[in-house]
Amino acid sequence: MHTSTASAIIIDDLHKKYRTNHALRGVELEVTAGEVMALLGPNGAGKTTLVKILTTLLEPDSGRAFVNGWNVSTEPEKVRSTIGMAGQYSTVDGLLTGFENLYLLAKLRGVGRRTARRVADDLLSRFRLTDVAGRPAGAYSGGMRRRLDLAAALVGSPPLVVLDEPTTGLDPESRLDTWEAVGELVADGTTILLTTQYLEEADRLADRITVIDRGRVVAEGTSDELKATAGNRLVVYVAGDHQLDAAARAAAQATGAIPTVDRRARRVEAAATDGRAALGRALAALEREDVEVLEIGLSRCTLDDVFLGLTSHARREAA
């Protein structure tokens, strides 16, 4: 059965269990063609299991999943012909040159020599690897090797590319290189499913974000929408180190949240879901605690705050 391809991915009540471990518990998800969807979750949340099912490496126990209109369980070959994948570990052959890696993949896709050569040359140019095309991939820097991985995932022009923690272990410069390459894919209209441990990466690259924890989707929306649900952060700077504990008590009273204390910066922060009202309560509590305040205010919650709040809440509910 081939469904409409207006949605690149459709997941309906997906379950997967390993003995006593429920990896997926009724996951529902839809990814529109041409968008970047970031899948976030702590270790063991079910992200890898979900990616393996979508790439036909694993069978679900129940539920349905469609990729580019094809059923992953009954039409796996169709699915594989329309996706590219770059995992967190490089899959290119370090003994082959950059050109040879891409040429070989194009040949495996069933194209002729001339076409395979053109595909390899075009991708090397697109990812700024032409100057090192004749060097063994094992001699590439981390960023260059990751760009070659992305180029390899695009052989055959798949409409969907799965990036499974693509910048894990990369230095900051190589990570920026990878982000730039992903941006080029997006500009060409490629649909991307991105799993990542770096929230800044999701914030920067994703059109929408899905947070998964303990095998369930716990939140979904744009980065701005998710941040809006988390409210603000109360931020207090105090005059002396000896006042930090009192300021933390005041912040906890005002917000009902567990504050974080940065002793070097003499700063106390706490999530404040009701913003201005919490600020008023904090001022009163700080006065009662006789804390000398240098600065106090509200800042917007970060994606880190959202992620920690959602996943810790889900785990408390499960407990």
Side-chain angles (χ1 to χ4, degrees), residues 17-76:
K17 187 176 182 181
Y18 302 100
R19 296 184 181 176
T20 60
N21 176 34
H22 247 115
L24 299 177
R25 305 166 183 254
V27 171
E28 305 266 350
L29 181 64
E30 185 168 352
V31 180
T32 304
E35 77 172 343
V36 181
M37 171 65 81
L39 191 63
L40 303 182
N43 290 332
K47 302 188 305 295
T48 299
T49 297
L50 186 56
V51 166
K52 284 184 175 180
I53 289 173
L54 292 175
T55 54
T56 75
L57 298 176
L58 195 63
E59 279 277 347
D61 293 336
S62 63
R64 300 187 305 165
F66 295 89
V67 173
N68 296 315
W70 303 106
N71 189 309
V72 299
S73 297
T74 60
E75 301 159 308

Side-chain angles (χ1 to χ4, degrees), residues 204-218:
R204 175 164 175 165
L205 297 177
D207 298 309
R208 287 192 301 132
I209 296 169
T210 294
V211 183
I212 185 170
D213 192 26
R214 299 179 66 86
R216 293 187 174 95
V217 173
V218 295

